[in-house]
Amino acid sequence: MPRVYLSPPHLAGRELDYLRDAIDSNWVAPLGPHVDAFEAELAELTGVPNALALSSGTAALHLALVVLGIGRGDEVACASLTFSASANPIRFVGAMPVFVDASADTWTIDPELLRRALAERPQIRAVIAVDLYGQCCDYDELHAVCAERGVTLVQDAAESLGATYLGGPAGAQGDLAAFSFNGNKLITTSGGGMLVSPNGEWIAHARKLSTQAREPAPHYEHTEIGFNYRLSNLLAAVGRAQLGVLSERVQARRRINRRYRELLADAPGISFMPEAGYGEGNCWLTCLLVDPAAAGTDRESIRLALEAEDIESRPLWKPMHMQPVYRDAPVYGGEVSAGLFERGLCLPSGSALTDDDQRRVVETLLATRA
Ligand SMILES: Cc1ncc(COP(=O)(O)O)c(C=O)c1O
């Protein structure tokens, strides 16, 4: 039986048509009609008027901090429970991350702890809020907290494309927002990202920085340090085909999530990531918690049993405040995300997962003994 992956790419079928067009037209460069169209289509989908296609979500977060002018001596508050790419750009610009624990209700950044961090640390100039596993943060709360101190809210929407917050599309909530089209995301360009913002000046500046910060001159003239972060026209072609099936992909992942909840409803000691009432997650990854006392097994025994059946699963993100590389960074709270990391597991959630494979995942999980 073929290996069951956590979240493999799921092609739409039209990628080759778009790619052929890109190649036939000789737009084989980090610019071109598919890049422009991909940006316009994502802007339309999110309702955010300015979009910049980039080589990764990490690049999008990096440029967000650069256009905000954040650097040495500044601090940036960041969710602790996330992938390292949410926090690493803070170090790229020479600033210091201040990690903030998750709320037990949503697993996203805790607004009260954030309020405390902002009150105590005047050096914090921006907040990176992360939409975890496809579930948006509570942005009304976060905007209120950020407004008290006048700090900028950056939305890490790498995992939440296609989710909603109060009926609006994910990515429309931050002062700036970053998407990822990595191979494991809801839709993919193999690798890629997008930075969006209602602020056209920030995006225009990021656009210039993303192509080596070239000044308008016939020769290469530079007044600031730039990057080579633009998305290839070939990859944007793939992205347009993928974007065309986004809502189907969200529906498929939500259905897989519902089915896991149904099939494991009676399993003792197993619970799922809470669903926030303010929006619909895209269910990028279905995550569960294992209570060893009630389940008669633990997270790691389940992971190993699945692996023995050639089924990929993964512990929840190891919180950033527990990462050796960030041992010097200040942290507010930390126990909630530490507990989630200890007990949490991400299950195979790809939109092409078959009912049979999903049943095999559940049967293996239920048969696990510590
Ligand atoms: C929360 C989060 N932020 C940032 C990233 C970085 O995106 P990329 O891999 O496109 O650089 C990812 C995923 O990879 C992510 O899950």
Side-chain angles (χ1 to χ4, degrees):
M1 261 178 293
R3 181 166 171 79
V4 177
Y5 289 100
L6 194 69
S7 182
H10 184 179
L11 294 184
R14 294 200 56 202
E15 284 83 357
L16 280 177
D17 296 337
Y18 282 97
L19 272 171
R20 194 166 296 112
D21 175 76
I23 287 169
D24 285 348
S25 63
N26 206 33
W27 280 105
V28 182
L31 78 170
H34 286 292
V35 177
D36 297 344
F38 191 36
E39 288 174 348
E41 286 162 9
L42 197 100
E44 163 96 27
L45 188 115
T46 57
V48 186
N50 309 288
L52 173 65
L54 296 164
S55 54
S56 70
T58 311
L61 288 167
H62 185 190
L63 289 182
L65 297 181
V66 176
V67 298
L68 292 175
I70 289 168
R72 238 166 267 286
D74 294 328
E75 293 183 343
V76 177
C78 181
S80 185
L81 185 59
T82 186
F83 181 51
S84 61
S86 304
N88 290 344
I90 302 169
R91 299 302 291 149
F92 297 172
V93 298
M96 175 61 93
V98 176
F99 293 115
V100 179
D101 204 358
S103 137
D105 298 339
T106 65
W107 297 9
T108 59
I109 193 166
D110 183 325
E112 272 318 306
L113 283 175
L114 177 64
R115 177 174 279 123
R116 227 178 74 201
L118 291 177
E120 290 177 10
R121 308 187 77 89
Q123 309 92 313
I124 295 178
R125 292 199 41 218
V127 173
I128 298 180
V130 182
D131 297 341
L132 202 75
Y133 298 120
Q135 171 152 283
C136 283
C137 303
D138 190 351
Y139 284 103
D140 277 359
E141 277 282 312
L142 294 182
H143 272 298
V145 173
C146 288
E148 288 164 16
R149 261 282 321 280
V151 300
T152 308
L153 182 56
V154 178
Q155 177 176 13
D156 182 346
E159 300 172 1
S160 65
L161 183 65
T164 64
Y165 176 76
L166 298 179
Q173 291 73 36
D175 298 317
L176 289 141
F179 291 108
S180 165
F181 309 115
N182 194 5
N184 63 358
K185 296 297 188 293
L186 250 90
I187 63 164
T188 185
T189 58
S190 81
M194 193 86 75
L195 182 66
V196 302
S197 175
N199 184 322
E201 282 176 23
W202 284 341
I203 296 299
H205 188 195
R207 192 177 294 280
K208 175 190 166 202
L209 291 169
S210 71
T211 48
Q212 310 287 17
R214 185 178 180 182
E215 297 296 331
H219 58 276
Y220 277 88
E221 178 82 8
H222 304 282
T223 59
E224 58 186 334
I225 299 295
F227 307 90
N228 183 7
Y229 274 173
R230 223 36 183 128
L231 187 70
S232 158
N233 194 57
L234 296 177
L235 300 186
V238 173
R240 294 185 67 199
Q242 288 271 294
L243 202 56
V245 295
L246 174 66
S247 62
E248 290 158 49
R249 298 297 184 255
V250 173
Q251 281 165 31
R253 296 219 186 212
R254 286 185 58 79
R255 192 183 72 82
I256 288 163
N257 181 278
R258 269 199 309 278
R259 195 150 180 267
Y260 274 127
R261 288 175 188 265
E262 284 161 17
L263 293 172
L264 291 165
D266 299 328
I270 301 287
S271 59
F272 287 86
M273 179 175 179
E275 291 171 290
Y278 48 64
E280 266 195 0
N282 63 17
C283 298
W284 172 51
L285 296 181
T286 290
C287 306
L288 51 73
L289 293 180
V290 185
D291 172 3
T297 186
D298 55 30
R299 190 281 310 279
E300 195 52 13
S301 302
I302 292 175
R303 193 188 69 76
L304 291 171
L306 291 170
E307 191 54 50
E309 288 293 317
D310 223 0
I311 296 169
E312 185 186 20
S313 65
R314 195 170 60 195
L316 296 196
W317 299 129
K318 180 173 179 176
M320 290 304 112
H321 73 275
M322 297 171 68
Q323 297 286 356
V325 73
Y326 285 123
R327 69 174 78 77
D328 297 334
V331 57
Y332 283 73
E335 303 76 18
V336 172
S337 53
L340 293 173
F341 170 59
E342 193 182 318
R343 294 186 293 128
L345 191 68
C346 305
L347 298 178
S349 306
S351 42
L353 184 71
T354 64
D355 284 357
D356 282 351
D357 279 343
Q358 191 173 9
R359 197 170 307 112
R360 200 153 69 80
V361 173
V362 169
E363 281 167 6
T364 307
L365 193 156
L366 287 173
T368 309
R369 294 287 166 264

